[in-house]
Amino acid sequence: MKSLPTSFTPRRKRLTILALALTSLAAALCSLCFGSAPLSLPQVIEVFSGGGSNSARNIVLYARLPRTFAALLCGSSLAVGGVIIQSVMGNPLAGPNIIGVNAGAGLGAILALVLLPNSVTAGPTAAFLGAMAACTLVYQLARRTGASRITLVLAGVAISSMLSAIIDALSILFPDAALSAKTFLVGSLSGVSMKMLMFPCLLTVLAVAGTFALSYELDLLALGDEVAQSLGLSAKATRNTLLILAAVLCGSAVSFAGLVGFVGLMVPHAARFLVGGEHKYLLGASVFLGAALVSVCDLLARLLFAPFQLPVGILLAMLGGPFFLYLIFHQRGGRKP
């Protein structure tokens, strides 16, 4: 039996995931320390130990900690959701924002904001339902038409545009929701609180755990439906379960972060380059790489133009747009990214 390349041995993969975990921890600590009022690491540790000045406690506990936790949660959710969508649809160009899943979640969240503005659970629930509807629509389109990869992506872009138009219309028709919708549409982590994050965090933990439990099934699906079924896997039922998990993850992230894009497209490719395509390692790498990416981008969005702050979605779009074009050109050339 041919041995694995050195770069993809199990030991190397585990060390890579550990390095990514430490990177996400370092990004989180930097997020807690740096801002309009910089704090040293000992000051942050002192706050978590129950001490520190009142100003330091207010900054860390009520401003930076919720935002840092939101960045970690958002990045992990969208990254794992992206792995699922790319694997299930067999399309490396697919991503939650590219094929309209984020827009579907956004429409659900905006409807919840309009109809049930005081509900804590309505937003994540409606976002999940919207993401699931968009995900199912795109998958059925691919399944029924047998469309090419590029055609499927273009169809997803069209669906995303239609859903975004409905979101824009709702924000105009309901002015009270327009202020919240403004930052929601570009993706922002400002103004989040720990209370807002509790329910999305629960959904994310359960969905990520469920995805890890199905990592072997994801490997089988990557071999094709006929091979998977010959090995005893119910491909249709497994695919539907995974799409539900992807919808939960994307809906949870969108419910508090807004329409943050390109994380679910970029991170799976980067993680695949680092640890290969075996999903139990790919998912682990994606969790920490996604968390680190959004944390670093959010920190840069806060610092680059201080005292003004950019929404993190703008910075991610500036990174993701060129990356998407790179993938398209590689696909047209017949090469795998």
Side-chain angles (χ1 to χ4, degrees):
M1 184 176 177
K2 193 174 181 179
S3 61
L4 289 170
T6 304
S7 59
F8 286 154
T9 60
R11 181 175 181 273
R12 186 65 175 266
K13 292 178 184 179
R14 288 192 289 268
L15 288 175
T16 300
I17 293 173
L18 177 60
L20 291 174
L22 294 175
T23 301
S24 64
L25 176 61
L29 291 175
C30 289
S31 179
L32 292 172
C33 292
F34 298 112
S36 57
L39 298 173
S40 66
L41 184 57
Q43 285 179 297
V44 173
I45 295 174
E46 187 179 9
V47 168
F48 285 112
S49 300
S53 64
N54 288 334
S55 60
R57 290 180 61 82
N58 289 334
I59 290 171
V60 172
L61 297 180
Y62 301 110
R64 293 184 188 169
L65 179 60
R67 188 161 181 165
T68 300
F69 185 54
L72 297 172
L73 191 64
C74 173
S76 299
S77 299
L78 293 178
V80 175
V83 171
I84 296 172
I85 290 171
Q86 289 179 9
S87 299
V88 167
M89 295 191 173
N91 191 341
L93 295 175
N97 66 304
I98 299 297
I99 64 171
V101 177
N102 275 14
L107 177 58
I110 288 292
L111 284 172
L113 187 64
V114 169
L115 300 175
L116 300 168
N118 298 319
S119 174
V120 176
T121 59
T125 303
F128 156 67
L129 294 175
M132 188 63 203
C135 202
T136 302
L137 178 61
V138 173
Y139 173 66
Q140 290 299 326
L141 177 66
R143 186 166 172 268
R144 290 177 181 273
T145 63
S148 67
R149 290 176 174 179
I150 297 295
T151 304
L152 175 60
V153 170
L154 292 176
V157 170
I159 292 170
S160 181
S161 298
M162 290 186 290
L163 295 175
S164 297
I166 298 174
I167 293 173
D168 291 337
L170 287 173
S171 64
I172 292 173
L173 294 174
F174 298 91
D176 291 340
L179 185 61
S180 298
K182 186 177 180 179
T183 55
F184 180 89
L185 294 176
V186 294
S188 175
L189 299 176
S190 62
V192 296
S193 65
M194 294 303 291
K195 183 179 179 181
M196 291 171 56
L197 299 174
M198 289 300 101
F199 188 58
C201 179
L202 175 62
L203 291 178
T204 298
V205 169
L206 293 175
V208 169
T211 306
F212 270 96
L214 293 173
S215 60
Y216 176 69
E217 285 76 3
L218 274 169
D219 289 333
L220 293 183
L221 284 177
L223 301 175
D225 285 3
E226 291 184 2
V227 175
Q229 289 175 353
S230 68
L231 294 173
L233 180 70
S234 176
K236 182 178 179 180
T238 304
R239 184 174 285 106
N240 289 339
T241 301
L242 287 165
L243 287 176
I244 291 174
L245 292 173
V248 171
L249 289 164
C250 297
S252 298
V254 168
S255 68
F256 64 85
L259 302 185
V260 174
F262 292 105
V263 178
L265 175 69
M266 295 188 291
V267 171
H269 285 284
R272 201 173 285 114
F273 175 79
L274 293 172
V275 299
E278 190 177 356
H279 281 87
K280 69 178 181 179
Y281 297 110
L282 178 60
L283 290 168
S286 296
V287 166
F288 296 116
L289 187 56
L293 174 66
V294 177
S295 297
V296 170
C297 286
D298 184 55
L299 179 60
L300 291 175
R302 285 153 45 191
L303 296 179
L304 286 178
F305 301 99
F308 302 102
Q309 295 187 14
L310 287 177
V312 66
I314 293 178
L315 206 58
L316 286 167
M318 293 173 65
L319 293 174
F323 185 83
F324 184 53
L325 293 175
Y326 163 79
L327 290 180
I328 289 177
F329 283 120
H330 270 63
Q331 289 297 305
R332 288 179 65 85
R335 291 170 290 175
K336 292 183 180 181

